[in-house]
């Protein structure tokens, strides 16, 4: 199976949007759900509806469960939250979903804000000024050390990996973004290749835990994160590269803007070729995209152009590497 382009959608995506997704040649979606929507019947209905558009759900994510403050900071009541996560795995297993997402970021992605940047042609996108972000006070009342955060992750993994293995619903772990040692008083779990491997080891290197390889994170930190090309090879060969976030940035930290793939500092065609050469069968999607225009389809409209560009790079790379052939030329 080759790399599979996807877009994120919600459960109440209008019919027109699903037509548009199909017309773009996208056959996989990442489905965002609310906790109360995690029921077999509800998700089977969504799956059935999408199948009419020849769209398949590759993964389901629930933000309150994948970036759960109570679980990730080890607060009172975490066992009940972990039970909810496990219930989600059982439901997704019954619905036949490949994987779900985990991001050990109780405060989410940290950015200075959104603006029309210097490298975005007037597009409104996220940017980070690390001097501003690093000066922020602890967001959760006190500092949480790397040992504590690793411990909360281990506590979680010890309880969800067996269920993930049983249900065959895998988990894709996203790095901390921006990938630095600590953000707003909370130590990061994954801020370079080494800490990624350490997180996988905490899960006993079970196939249950794979990666959401966010090229944006690798590029924000540059070599301080690791060697992106080497890591694509390593993780692809291990069969744990479940998902690729395809994103370029204007430069490495301490200041970056999220840009179009063609406008950042990395050659994203080379990244695409590397993924194909390494035999990756991950789903691949545009990460974030610019702020959309309501009259042009809002969020989905904003994903359309960069997703088309992604597909252009993907198909060009497949042609160049002899993996895509046409009758003529
Ligand atoms: Mn990402």
């Amino acid at each position: 199976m080759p790399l599979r382009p996807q877009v994120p959608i919600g459960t109440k995506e209008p019919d027109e949007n699903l037509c548009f997704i199909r017309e773009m040649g996208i056959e996989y979606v990442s489905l965002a759900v609310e906790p109360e929507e995690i029921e077999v019947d509800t998700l089977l209905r969504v799956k059935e509806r999408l199948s009419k558009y020849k769209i398949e759900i590759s993964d389901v994510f629930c933000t309150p469960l994948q970036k759960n403050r109570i679980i990730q900071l080890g607060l009172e009541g975490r066992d009940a939250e972990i039970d909810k996560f496990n219930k989600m795995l059982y439901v997704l297993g019954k619905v036949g979903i490949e994987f779900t997402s985990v991001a050990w970021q109780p405060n989410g992605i940290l950015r200075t804000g959104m603006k029309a940047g210097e490298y975005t042609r007037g597009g409104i996108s996220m940017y980070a000024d690390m001097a501003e972000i690093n000066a922020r006070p602890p967001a959760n009342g006190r500092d949480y050390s790397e040992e504590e955060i690793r411990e909360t992750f281990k506590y979680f993994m010890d309880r969800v990996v067996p269920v993930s293995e049983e249900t065959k619903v895998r988990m894709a772990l996203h790095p901390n973004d921006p990938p630095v040692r600590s953000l707003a008083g909370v130590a990061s779990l994954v801020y370079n290749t080494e800490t990624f491997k350490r997180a996988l080891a905490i899960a006993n290197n079970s196939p249950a835990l794979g990666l959401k390889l966010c090229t944006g994170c690798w590029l924000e930190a540059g070599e301080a994160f690791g060697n992106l090309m080497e890591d694509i090879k390593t993780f692809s060969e291990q069969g744990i590269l479940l998902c690729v976030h395809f994103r370029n940035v204007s430069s490495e930290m301490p200041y970056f803007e999220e840009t179009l793939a063609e406008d950042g500092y990395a050659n994203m065609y080379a990244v695409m070729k590397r993924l194909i050469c390494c035999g990756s069968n991950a789903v691949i999607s545009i990460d974030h995209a610019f702020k959309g225009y309501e009259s042009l389809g809002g969020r989905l409209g904003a994903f359309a152009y960069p997703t088309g560009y992604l597909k252009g790079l993907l198909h060009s790379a497949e042609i160049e590497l002899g993996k895509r052939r046409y009758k003529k030329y």
Side-chain angles (χ1 to χ4, degrees), residues 8-18 21 31 49-50 299-300:
I9 66 165
T11 54
K12 296 178 180 69
E13 207 72 27
D15 290 335
E16 276 189 354
N17 290 18
L18 300 178
I21 289 168
L31 183 72
R49 179 171 170 243
L50 293 175
R299 186 185 50 79
L300 182 60

PDB file of all heavy atoms in Angstrom, residues 8-18 21 31 49-50 299-300:
ATOM      1  N   PRO A   8      -8.486  16.068   7.433  1.00  0.00           N
ATOM      2  CA  PRO A   8      -9.269  15.928   8.667  1.00  0.00           C
ATOM      3  C   PRO A   8     -10.705  16.406   8.443  1.00  0.00           C
ATOM      4  O   PRO A   8     -10.932  17.382   7.722  1.00  0.00           O
ATOM      5  CB  PRO A   8      -8.542  16.861   9.644  1.00  0.00           C
ATOM      6  CG  PRO A   8      -7.890  17.906   8.789  1.00  0.00           C
ATOM      7  CD  PRO A   8      -7.652  17.285   7.433  1.00  0.00           C
ATOM      8  N   ILE A   9     -11.662  15.708   9.033  1.00  0.00           N
ATOM      9  CA  ILE A   9     -13.065  16.161   8.962  1.00  0.00           C
ATOM     10  C   ILE A   9     -13.744  15.951  10.309  1.00  0.00           C
ATOM     11  O   ILE A   9     -13.211  15.267  11.187  1.00  0.00           O
ATOM     12  CB  ILE A   9     -13.886  15.426   7.866  1.00  0.00           C
ATOM     13  CG1 ILE A   9     -14.046  13.936   8.210  1.00  0.00           C
ATOM     14  CG2 ILE A   9     -13.295  15.603   6.491  1.00  0.00           C
ATOM     15  CD1 ILE A   9     -15.129  13.245   7.384  1.00  0.00           C
ATOM     16  N   GLY A  10     -14.948  16.505  10.432  1.00  0.00           N
ATOM     17  CA  GLY A  10     -15.768  16.278  11.616  1.00  0.00           C
ATOM     18  C   GLY A  10     -16.885  15.303  11.287  1.00  0.00           C
ATOM     19  O   GLY A  10     -17.073  14.923  10.123  1.00  0.00           O
ATOM     20  N   THR A  11     -17.650  14.912  12.301  1.00  0.00           N
ATOM     21  CA  THR A  11     -18.710  13.922  12.080  1.00  0.00           C
ATOM     22  C   THR A  11     -19.905  14.527  11.338  1.00  0.00           C
ATOM     23  O   THR A  11     -20.707  13.798  10.773  1.00  0.00           O
ATOM     24  CB  THR A  11     -19.215  13.347  13.418  1.00  0.00           C
ATOM     25  OG1 THR A  11     -19.600  14.441  14.243  1.00  0.00           O
ATOM     26  CG2 THR A  11     -18.158  12.528  14.110  1.00  0.00           C
ATOM     27  N   LYS A  12     -20.020  15.856  11.398  1.00  0.00           N
ATOM     28  CA  LYS A  12     -21.189  16.482  10.759  1.00  0.00           C
ATOM     29  C   LYS A  12     -20.799  17.222   9.485  1.00  0.00           C
ATOM     30  O   LYS A  12     -21.425  18.200   9.096  1.00  0.00           O
ATOM     31  CB  LYS A  12     -21.870  17.425  11.751  1.00  0.00           C
ATOM     32  CG  LYS A  12     -22.429  16.668  12.946  1.00  0.00           C
ATOM     33  CD  LYS A  12     -23.069  17.563  13.985  1.00  0.00           C
ATOM     34  CE  LYS A  12     -23.595  16.734  15.153  1.00  0.00           C
ATOM     35  NZ  LYS A  12     -22.513  16.131  15.958  1.00  0.00           N
ATOM     36  N   GLU A  13     -19.774  16.732   8.829  1.00  0.00           N
ATOM     37  CA  GLU A  13     -19.293  17.355   7.592  1.00  0.00           C
ATOM     38  C   GLU A  13     -20.443  17.378   6.567  1.00  0.00           C
ATOM     39  O   GLU A  13     -21.056  16.336   6.301  1.00  0.00           O
ATOM     40  CB  GLU A  13     -18.121  16.523   7.060  1.00  0.00           C
ATOM     41  CG  GLU A  13     -17.137  17.284   6.239  1.00  0.00           C
ATOM     42  CD  GLU A  13     -16.256  18.241   7.038  1.00  0.00           C
ATOM     43  OE1 GLU A  13     -16.016  18.014   8.237  1.00  0.00           O
ATOM     44  OE2 GLU A  13     -15.828  19.244   6.448  1.00  0.00           O
ATOM     45  N   PRO A  14     -20.739  18.540   5.994  1.00  0.00           N
ATOM     46  CA  PRO A  14     -21.838  18.614   5.017  1.00  0.00           C
ATOM     47  C   PRO A  14     -21.576  17.732   3.788  1.00  0.00           C
ATOM     48  O   PRO A  14     -20.429  17.479   3.439  1.00  0.00           O
ATOM     49  CB  PRO A  14     -21.856  20.093   4.608  1.00  0.00           C
ATOM     50  CG  PRO A  14     -21.116  20.811   5.679  1.00  0.00           C
ATOM     51  CD  PRO A  14     -20.113  19.838   6.231  1.00  0.00           C
ATOM     52  N   ASP A  15     -22.664  17.306   3.141  1.00  0.00           N
ATOM     53  CA  ASP A  15     -22.548  16.455   1.944  1.00  0.00           C
ATOM     54  C   ASP A  15     -21.652  17.079   0.877  1.00  0.00           C
ATOM     55  O   ASP A  15     -20.861  16.399   0.249  1.00  0.00           O
ATOM     56  CB  ASP A  15     -23.942  16.208   1.338  1.00  0.00           C
ATOM     57  CG  ASP A  15     -24.772  15.305   2.239  1.00  0.00           C
ATOM     58  OD1 ASP A  15     -24.179  14.519   3.010  1.00  0.00           O
ATOM     59  OD2 ASP A  15     -26.008  15.399   2.195  1.00  0.00           O
ATOM     60  N   GLU A  16     -21.814  18.392   0.699  1.00  0.00           N
ATOM     61  CA  GLU A  16     -21.005  19.066  -0.339  1.00  0.00           C
ATOM     62  C   GLU A  16     -19.514  18.909  -0.054  1.00  0.00           C
ATOM     63  O   GLU A  16     -18.710  18.748  -0.965  1.00  0.00           O
ATOM     64  CB  GLU A  16     -21.333  20.567  -0.372  1.00  0.00           C
ATOM     65  CG  GLU A  16     -22.544  20.906  -1.195  1.00  0.00           C
ATOM     66  CD  GLU A  16     -22.706  22.406  -1.367  1.00  0.00           C
ATOM     67  OE1 GLU A  16     -21.947  23.181  -0.746  1.00  0.00           O
ATOM     68  OE2 GLU A  16     -23.608  22.793  -2.128  1.00  0.00           O
ATOM     69  N   ASN A  17     -19.141  18.996   1.221  1.00  0.00           N
ATOM     70  CA  ASN A  17     -17.727  18.848   1.576  1.00  0.00           C
ATOM     71  C   ASN A  17     -17.227  17.453   1.222  1.00  0.00           C
ATOM     72  O   ASN A  17     -16.104  17.281   0.731  1.00  0.00           O
ATOM     73  CB  ASN A  17     -17.519  19.078   3.077  1.00  0.00           C
ATOM     74  CG  ASN A  17     -17.714  20.519   3.467  1.00  0.00           C
ATOM     75  OD1 ASN A  17     -18.321  21.285   2.722  1.00  0.00           O
ATOM     76  ND2 ASN A  17     -17.223  20.905   4.623  1.00  0.00           N
ATOM     77  N   LEU A  18     -18.093  16.455   1.462  1.00  0.00           N
ATOM     78  CA  LEU A  18     -17.679  15.079   1.166  1.00  0.00           C
ATOM     79  C   LEU A  18     -17.535  14.882  -0.343  1.00  0.00           C
ATOM     80  O   LEU A  18     -16.617  14.203  -0.803  1.00  0.00           O
ATOM     81  CB  LEU A  18     -18.682  14.086   1.770  1.00  0.00           C
ATOM     82  CG  LEU A  18     -18.819  14.185   3.304  1.00  0.00           C
ATOM     83  CD1 LEU A  18     -19.872  13.200   3.801  1.00  0.00           C
ATOM     84  CD2 LEU A  18     -17.491  13.935   4.008  1.00  0.00           C
ATOM     85  N   ILE A  21     -14.231  16.464  -1.221  1.00  0.00           N
ATOM     86  CA  ILE A  21     -13.102  15.617  -0.818  1.00  0.00           C
ATOM     87  C   ILE A  21     -12.910  14.496  -1.837  1.00  0.00           C
ATOM     88  O   ILE A  21     -11.802  14.196  -2.265  1.00  0.00           O
ATOM     89  CB  ILE A  21     -13.340  15.050   0.606  1.00  0.00           C
ATOM     90  CG1 ILE A  21     -13.199  16.183   1.639  1.00  0.00           C
ATOM     91  CG2 ILE A  21     -12.373  13.910   0.929  1.00  0.00           C
ATOM     92  CD1 ILE A  21     -13.685  15.835   3.030  1.00  0.00           C
ATOM     93  N   LEU A  31     -10.919  11.467  11.374  1.00  0.00           N
ATOM     94  CA  LEU A  31     -12.204  11.930  11.893  1.00  0.00           C
ATOM     95  C   LEU A  31     -12.083  12.460  13.318  1.00  0.00           C
ATOM     96  O   LEU A  31     -11.671  11.733  14.230  1.00  0.00           O
ATOM     97  CB  LEU A  31     -13.200  10.764  11.858  1.00  0.00           C
ATOM     98  CG  LEU A  31     -14.624  11.085  12.308  1.00  0.00           C
ATOM     99  CD1 LEU A  31     -15.350  11.935  11.262  1.00  0.00           C
ATOM    100  CD2 LEU A  31     -15.402   9.800  12.598  1.00  0.00           C
ATOM    101  N   ARG A  49     -22.071   6.483   5.992  1.00  0.00           N
ATOM    102  CA  ARG A  49     -22.326   7.687   5.201  1.00  0.00           C
ATOM    103  C   ARG A  49     -21.112   8.021   4.327  1.00  0.00           C
ATOM    104  O   ARG A  49     -21.238   8.324   3.142  1.00  0.00           O
ATOM    105  CB  ARG A  49     -22.624   8.857   6.163  1.00  0.00           C
ATOM    106  CG  ARG A  49     -22.880  10.151   5.466  1.00  0.00           C
ATOM    107  CD  ARG A  49     -23.387  11.237   6.409  1.00  0.00           C
ATOM    108  NE  ARG A  49     -23.384  12.502   5.716  1.00  0.00           N
ATOM    109  CZ  ARG A  49     -22.649  13.551   6.066  1.00  0.00           C
ATOM    110  NH1 ARG A  49     -21.886  13.496   7.141  1.00  0.00           N
ATOM    111  NH2 ARG A  49     -22.679  14.655   5.352  1.00  0.00           N
ATOM    112  N   LEU A  50     -19.913   7.925   4.902  1.00  0.00           N
ATOM    113  CA  LEU A  50     -18.700   8.242   4.144  1.00  0.00           C
ATOM    114  C   LEU A  50     -18.471   7.239   3.017  1.00  0.00           C
ATOM    115  O   LEU A  50     -17.946   7.594   1.956  1.00  0.00           O
ATOM    116  CB  LEU A  50     -17.482   8.257   5.083  1.00  0.00           C
ATOM    117  CG  LEU A  50     -17.467   9.376   6.127  1.00  0.00           C
ATOM    118  CD1 LEU A  50     -16.276   9.210   7.057  1.00  0.00           C
ATOM    119  CD2 LEU A  50     -17.416  10.746   5.463  1.00  0.00           C
ATOM    120  N   ARG A 299     -12.578  25.992   6.568  1.00  0.00           N
ATOM    121  CA  ARG A 299     -11.432  25.129   6.904  1.00  0.00           C
ATOM    122  C   ARG A 299     -11.084  24.162   5.765  1.00  0.00           C
ATOM    123  O   ARG A 299      -9.929  24.019   5.380  1.00  0.00           O
ATOM    124  CB  ARG A 299     -11.764  24.350   8.184  1.00  0.00           C
ATOM    125  CG  ARG A 299     -10.627  23.512   8.736  1.00  0.00           C
ATOM    126  CD  ARG A 299     -11.094  22.675   9.925  1.00  0.00           C
ATOM    127  NE  ARG A 299     -12.315  21.943   9.633  1.00  0.00           N
ATOM    128  CZ  ARG A 299     -12.354  20.807   8.931  1.00  0.00           C
ATOM    129  NH1 ARG A 299     -11.247  20.267   8.486  1.00  0.00           N
ATOM    130  NH2 ARG A 299     -13.499  20.216   8.670  1.00  0.00           N
ATOM    131  N   LEU A 300     -12.118  23.493   5.223  1.00  0.00           N
ATOM    132  CA  LEU A 300     -11.837  22.535   4.145  1.00  0.00           C
ATOM    133  C   LEU A 300     -11.276  23.257   2.917  1.00  0.00           C
ATOM    134  O   LEU A 300     -10.356  22.768   2.265  1.00  0.00           O
ATOM    135  CB  LEU A 300     -13.095  21.744   3.780  1.00  0.00           C
ATOM    136  CG  LEU A 300     -12.918  20.677   2.699  1.00  0.00           C
ATOM    137  CD1 LEU A 300     -11.890  19.626   3.106  1.00  0.00           C
ATOM    138  CD2 LEU A 300     -14.248  20.016   2.372  1.00  0.00           C
TER     139      LEU A 300
END
